[in-house]
Amino acid sequence: MTRARWLLWAAVLLALAGGVLLYLQPGFMVLLAEQVWACF
């Protein structure tokens, strides 16, 4: 694999880890639920 491909995979994994960490925070989940509920 090339270096660019390794960097791409590292960026993808970092983004996924950041998303998981956001979902573990209760305040973020409440904010997300309120934004979804505001659409209806």
Side-chain angles (χ1 to χ4, degrees):
M1 291 175 97
T2 63
R3 183 176 179 203
R5 199 163 190 183
W6 279 108
L7 289 174
L8 178 64
W9 274 109
V12 168
L13 291 175
L14 187 62
L16 287 174
V20 168
L21 288 176
L22 279 176
Y23 277 106
L24 293 176
Q25 294 182 3
F28 175 74
M29 290 304 294
V30 171
L31 177 68
L32 186 63
E34 288 175 351
Q35 289 179 351
V36 169
W37 185 250
C39 293
F40 297 106

